[in-house]
Amino acid sequence: MAHVPQIRIPATYMRGGTSKGVFFRLQDLPERAQVPGPARDALLCRVIGSPDPYGKHTDGMGGATSSTSKVVIISPSTQPGHDVDYLYGQVPIEGAFIDWSGNCGNLSSAVGPFAIANGMIDPARVPRDGLCTVRIWQANIQKTIVAHVQVANGEVQETGDFELDGVTFPAAEVQLEFIDPADEGDGDGGGAMFPTGQLVDDLDVPGVGMFKATMINAGVPMVFVEAAALGYDGTELQGAINEDKAALAKLEAIRAHGAVRMGLVADAAAAAKRPLTPKVAFVAPPRDYVSSSGKPVKAADIDLLARAMSMGKLHHAMMGTASVAIATAAAVPGTVVNAAAGGGTREVLVFGHPSGTLRVGADVKQVDGAWVVTKAVMSRSARVLMEGAVRVPGDAF
């Protein structure tokens, strides 16, 4: 076999929130991979180590979980009033494709720090000490994210005392604002935020059952069902779900049929080609439980219990985009999420997830009878884990 040398591609390995991924500047990718298409997808799959029938990502940068099988491409923004364009790819562990259909709310927290550190922000706007505001165009969903990044001595501050459940060590807080996070879409019957036109639908899943479901598009398309309808109490940790193949199949069926009802796919079978979105989650009223780290979570300290699926598995904490959807749905009286949180109106919510708790907020209002969300807010942290270059075989793409 002819010798094929490896190529070097400048890259940064970053944690953002409870996720981590490989970040690239668009200009650093090989020319063929700077545009959408098979070459780009093949290259980035090889970087991560997918497809991997062993499910380990041993021969790549991925961590063999939905939270660590991610790639990000950053470029100077093409949009007026924005600093950078942020394109996110979810890489299936065993699939030879990349899902570009949604955003990663967790990695969104690393985009501002990356942009500042890589000289993509006007130096006149970067304070010696204080907060630097970075306006991000989320290219997957065509939305604006505003990141408030701490700066010390003219550089991104990464260390600090902000603790985020699901992340082992404290770091510097990054405040995120998701502006107008609902997808406008082309749907009818009540507005984009609720694609079916209803706050609660009866979702019929053949062979599984009928479920009261809130299907919302805010941050990411989400299908929310009641934990009790699945036989759960909302305190479940990863092992209870991910080691139960029947449960995984049931939740995937709910997700697939929700995708059809939301108008995202033509039929349930097509949902398999779109594993990133929509996401399915189950919610329940507060109760005491012990998080995956062993820390007690008291019912009195939370408004809601929430568990979400990501790429076919129960997420170890909560996806950032799903947190936007939770905050938004909880703010609208009558949704499944709002009911689990005790009803009424609320702008701020603390929910319990497998790793602990998270505080999120959303501003919603009714316009001509339809609910809209103007902004969702949360805090995350981010940190560079390694920077330099990744290597891939020259014939990988």
Side-chain angles (χ1 to χ4, degrees), residues 227-228 231-237 282-285 287 289 304-307 352-354:
Y232 300 137
D233 64 15
T235 66
E236 288 75 18
L237 303 184
F282 53 92
V283 295
R287 65 166 62 195
Y289 70 101
L304 174 78
L305 290 167
R307 302 292 188 265
H353 56 74

Side-chain angles (χ1 to χ4, degrees), residues 99-232:
D99 193 336
W100 301 98
S101 69
N103 178 34
C104 175
N106 275 297
L107 287 188
S108 297
S109 62
V111 175
F114 179 91
I116 296 169
N118 282 273
M120 304 174 84
I121 307 300
D122 180 352
R125 288 182 40 221
V126 180
R128 175 79 180 163
D129 296 285
L131 286 178
C132 180
T133 299
V134 181
R135 290 185 63 84
I136 300 161
W137 180 251
Q138 214 301 318
N140 303 77
I141 59 173
Q142 307 281 289
K143 293 292 180 181
T144 299
I145 301 171
V146 180
H148 301 282
V149 182
Q150 296 185 45
V151 175
N153 297 320
E155 298 183 344
V156 174
Q157 179 181 334
E158 296 181 289
T159 58
D161 56 9
F162 176 73
E163 296 185 353
L164 180 63
D165 286 341
V167 177
T168 308
F169 303 107
E173 180 179 7
V174 177
Q175 296 175 328
L176 294 177
E177 299 176 47
F178 296 83
I179 308 300
D180 184 26
D183 185 358
E184 277 80 17
D186 300 314
D188 56 13
M193 203 160 96
F194 296 98
T196 69
Q198 305 292 327
L199 300 184
V200 179
D201 285 270
D202 289 321
L203 182 62
D204 185 14
V205 183
V208 177
M210 184 82 74
F211 299 89
K212 295 289 184 185
T214 288
M215 289 172 273
I216 187 171
N217 197 342
V220 69
M222 290 283 298
V223 180
F224 288 106
V225 296
E226 299 164 330
L230 295 165
Y232 300 137

